[in-house]
Amino acid sequence: MGKEGKRLLVYFVILIVSTIYLFVRYFVLTNVSDFHKETLVGLAVAGVTSSVVGFYEIINSYGRYFWKALNCSVFIPNKKVYVSLSYLLRIKLHGSEKYLLVRGSKIDQYQPVGGVYKLVGNKCIIKEWETEPKSDKKNQKDLRFFVKAKYLPKIIKWFKSGKDREVGIWREFFEELVETKIVSKKNFITINAEQIKTVDKLLVKENRFKDETYHTLIYNIYSVELNNKQTKELVKLMTSNPITNDYAFVTRDEIKKECFNNNKTRIGQHTKYII
């Protein structure tokens, strides 16, 4: 059982004991002593109050994630979970239904620009949460890893805080579009983007990896706001060559179908989150 699960159990026991005593005191006992009236009743009321406040604080701290957090802490604390914390960029041409996708480096499919966040600074999630990294030697700070479910509530709270991790989106944009020369460094020296939503898939049952029971995937979705020069360059790119081995311009319907090019070419399942 995780730390939060133990706290909840303590609050629950205090609440039950206090409530039972108050019931017995007022509905069963007669001719009670001053010790009951003044001391034990006071302790029981304090127990009920502190338990209710404790429950509220825990529930409020996790918000809509509370029931998932409870499940992790109490029912499946030692189950193995694969966690991936990432961002995706929606790059859509103004006045068009066309979205720019790039070819995946690990899976033969087209998908949005983006990827997993990286740790920054000296935070060590291996020591703090006993994580098992799922990354190669060049990307040991990638935020994709295996972890016991009991740590998941803390990980989500930490991720939402933005501490000790990337918060920007430029790195993946630069690596996937500028460095590859799909777009020019001249017009894309910088980009403006707005976070439009977060998509989370918590404790989805999966068994893609050894001993893994659940997946937890969180995507921050950003919309790239193209300026005039950037728009003109992408329109020219789409007009001259809409589909290549490195990128493709696809429609909303094609993203929903998860394929294009006469159903011959695959679009990543997670791409639908950008539309």
Side-chain angles (χ1 to χ4, degrees):
M1 183 180 292
K3 184 178 178 181
E4 296 301 335
K6 291 177 181 178
R7 285 181 61 197
L8 285 169
L9 181 59
V10 170
Y11 288 139
F12 181 74
V13 170
I14 292 173
L15 179 62
I16 293 300
V17 171
S18 300
T19 302
I20 290 174
Y21 171 76
L22 290 172
F23 177 83
V24 172
R25 159 64 183 86
Y26 287 105
F27 295 99
V28 178
L29 297 179
T30 58
N31 299 320
V32 295
S33 67
D34 289 341
F35 179 70
H36 276 281
K37 293 178 181 179
E38 298 175 3
T39 303
L40 294 184
V41 168
L43 289 173
V45 170
V48 171
T49 302
S50 62
S51 298
V52 171
V53 171
F55 280 130
Y56 174 78
E57 288 177 347
I58 292 176
I59 292 171
N60 189 56
S61 68
Y62 289 108
R64 65 189 182 89
Y65 297 106
F66 171 72
W67 294 111
K68 296 289 187 182
L70 181 64
N71 190 22
C72 290
S73 295
V74 177
F75 300 108
I76 58 167
N78 294 314
K79 291 292 185 180
K80 192 172 183 179
V81 182
Y82 170 62
V83 177
S84 176
L85 309 171
S86 58
Y87 60 92
L88 304 176
L89 306 186
R90 181 173 74 187
I91 305 173
K92 182 175 179 290
L93 293 179
H94 299 301
S96 167
E97 276 298 314
K98 294 289 187 176
Y99 296 79
L100 174 60
L101 306 181
V102 293
R103 191 167 190 166
S105 59
K106 295 181 176 64
I107 303 176
D108 188 14
Q109 64 183 21
Y110 287 76
Q111 59 195 30
V113 173
V116 293
Y117 289 97
K118 288 182 179 292
L119 285 168
V120 297
N122 297 318
K123 187 176 183 66
C124 183
I125 62 175
I126 296 176
K127 291 182 179 179
E128 191 169 346
W129 300 319
E130 301 179 62
T131 61
E132 299 174 30
K134 184 189 179 296
S135 57
D136 57 44
K137 293 182 180 179
K138 295 180 180 179
N139 300 292
Q140 293 184 11
K141 288 186 174 291
D142 282 2
L143 286 176
R144 62 169 134 239
F145 49 83
F146 298 99
V147 71
K148 290 180 180 178
K150 65 182 179 182
Y151 293 111
L152 192 58
K154 288 184 178 180
I155 290 169
I156 292 174
K157 287 179 71 175
W158 165 78
F159 177 71
K160 296 292 182 182
S161 76
K163 295 179 180 178
D164 302 311
R165 69 165 178 85
E166 283 182 313
V167 293
I169 58 159
W170 172 249
R171 178 179 55 81
E172 289 286 355
F173 185 95
F174 181 80
E175 290 176 1
E176 297 187 5
L177 289 178
V178 180
E179 274 192 341
T180 56
K181 298 183 179 180
I182 293 174
V183 301
S184 69
K185 186 181 293 186
K186 176 183 176 182
N187 288 333
F188 288 89
I189 192 170
T190 186
I191 55 170
N192 291 320
E194 176 186 4
Q195 184 174 346
I196 54 176
K197 60 182 176 179
T198 296
V199 177
D200 45 36
K201 302 293 180 182
L202 307 181
L203 298 180
V204 178
K205 284 206 170 183
E206 289 279 359
N207 56 4
R208 286 170 48 196
F209 307 112
K210 183 179 179 181
D211 300 328
E212 174 235 0
T213 307
Y214 298 97
H215 272 199
T216 286
L217 312 175
I218 300 180
Y219 302 95
N220 284 339
I221 312 300
Y222 290 82
S223 177
V224 176
E225 305 299 325
L226 301 168
N227 61 34
N228 290 335
K229 289 183 179 180
Q230 292 168 345
T231 299
K232 288 179 180 179
E233 179 171 330
L234 289 187
V235 168
K236 183 178 180 180
L237 188 67
M238 182 183 67
T239 303
S240 62
N241 208 350
I243 301 174
T244 73
N245 286 330
D246 298 317
Y247 68 85
F249 288 88
V250 302
T251 66
R252 182 188 186 96
D253 288 341
E254 288 169 333
I255 290 174
K256 288 182 176 180
K257 291 191 301 181
E258 298 179 12
C259 61
F260 68 106
N261 194 21
N262 294 322
N263 300 330
K264 297 176 184 177
T265 309
R266 179 181 173 186
I267 293 176
Q269 187 180 35
H270 62 298
T271 306
K272 63 180 178 290
Y273 300 138
I274 69 169
I275 62 177

